């Protein structure tokens, strides 16, 4: 559902793959690492990912901050639909300017994570990581990650962004060029899968 809200602004992509999540039909790809949170936690329901996406984007829009959506949702939008556990936002902003942004997000039910604390992203401290959670009613919370920086690399990622909508909320999605660069840097199992699918869906990039 989250992916459909975005893809209908662009194109429909076929859902294929030998391993799928039984609840969503999305292709499941090994992370190559353990996600934070309780081991064995189920994947969020599509409607809860939608809520996390829309409420976080709405709050960021209210603040006027520059952001792009990355992670599994961007990989699905630019490549092939796959399951994801969280929603990632890349903010072109100063770490010192986060307080009013976090206050606005809290009014949109996107709150600080109860156990994880902000830190620089290992291994190279490229981004300041701010872990949050969106609390849907009568459902497990959805992790929302803010990756924050104001440097040339982040500005380049933002320059690749594509404008779209999730329901009535404007959303800017990390473009295929920026997504490929991030996937090459991380290069876990799921990143190699995403690279293959993004290049397949965007043949003009493979030059």
């Amino acid at each position: 559902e989250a992916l459909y809200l975005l893809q209908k602004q662009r194109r429909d992509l076929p859902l294929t793959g030998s391993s799928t999540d039984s609840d969503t039909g999305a292709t499941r790809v090994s992370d190559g690492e353990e996600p934070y949170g309780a081991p064995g936690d189920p994947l969020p329901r599509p409607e809860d990912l939608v809520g996390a996406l829309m409420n976080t984007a709405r709050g960021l829009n209210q603040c006027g901050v520059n952001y792009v959506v990355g992670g599994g949702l961007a990989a699905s939008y630019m490549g092939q639909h796959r399951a994801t556990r969280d929603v990632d936002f890349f903010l072109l902003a100063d770490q010192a300017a986060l307080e009013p942004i976090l206050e606005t997000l809290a009014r949109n039910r996107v709150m600080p994570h109860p156990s994880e604390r902000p830190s620089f992203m290992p291994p190279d401290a490229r981004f300041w990581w701010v872990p949050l959670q969106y609390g849907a009613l009568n459902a497990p919370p959805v992790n929302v990650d803010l990756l924050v920086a104001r440097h040339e690399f982040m500005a380049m990622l933002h320059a690749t962004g594509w404008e779209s909508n999730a329901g009535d909320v404007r959303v800017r999605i990390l473009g295929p060029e920026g997504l490929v660069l991030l996937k090459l840097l991380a290069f876990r199992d799921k990143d190699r899968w995403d690279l293959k699918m993004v290049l397949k869906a965007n043949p003009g990039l493979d030059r």
Side-chain angles (χ1 to χ4, degrees):
E1 183 180 351
L3 181 60
Y4 171 73
L5 284 169
L6 298 172
Q7 284 183 340
K8 69 180 182 180
Q9 306 296 324
R10 181 188 181 216
R11 64 172 183 257
D12 291 328
L13 298 179
L15 304 183
T16 60
S18 58
S19 178
T20 61
D21 178 69
S22 59
D23 295 326
T24 67
T27 301
R28 298 198 69 163
V29 183
S30 170
D31 287 329
E33 61 181 21
E34 287 297 320
Y36 66 92
D41 279 352
L43 290 169
R45 301 178 309 182
E47 58 266 32
D48 298 329
L49 283 171
V50 170
L53 172 68
M54 293 179 64
N55 279 270
T56 307
R58 183 180 292 112
L60 295 176
N61 291 342
Q62 290 167 356
C63 294
V65 66
N66 294 316
Y67 70 87
V68 287
V69 177
L73 285 181
S76 296
Y77 181 74
M78 295 295 172
Q80 177 176 298
H81 186 189
R82 72 162 172 83
T84 186
R85 293 183 176 276
D86 56 15
V87 185
D88 297 332
F89 287 82
F90 290 78
L91 274 60
L92 183 61
D94 294 315
Q95 179 184 340
L98 285 177
E99 184 175 351
I101 296 172
L102 296 177
E103 290 174 354
T104 301
L105 290 176
R107 291 194 291 270
N108 287 273
R109 299 198 328 215
V110 183
M111 310 293 291
H113 195 283
S115 59
E116 299 290 336
R117 295 294 176 262
S119 63
F120 282 106
M121 283 288 287
D124 48 17
R126 187 173 284 111
F127 305 114
W128 179 248
W129 172 58
V130 182
L132 307 173
Q133 281 190 337
Y134 166 70
L137 296 176
N138 301 316
V142 177
N143 290 327
V144 175
D145 292 339
L146 303 186
L147 292 308
V148 183
R150 186 180 290 279
H151 47 47
E152 290 185 4
F153 183 70
M154 181 68 90
M156 181 277 299
L157 295 179
H158 278 252
T160 74
W162 291 30
E163 293 291 330
S164 189
N165 294 283
D168 61 350
V169 180
R170 179 187 67 83
V171 179
R172 188 167 174 84
I173 310 294
L174 182 64
E177 302 89 350
L179 189 59
V180 164
L181 286 174
L182 286 177
K183 294 299 176 181
L184 285 171
L185 287 170
F187 216 59
R188 298 158 296 186
D189 289 346
K190 65 177 179 181
D191 300 305
R192 290 189 286 272
W193 168 268
D194 288 339
L195 278 168
K196 179 180 177 181
M197 295 299 106
V198 170
L199 292 174
K200 182 179 179 179
N202 301 271
L205 292 177
D206 194 13
R207 295 184 293 188

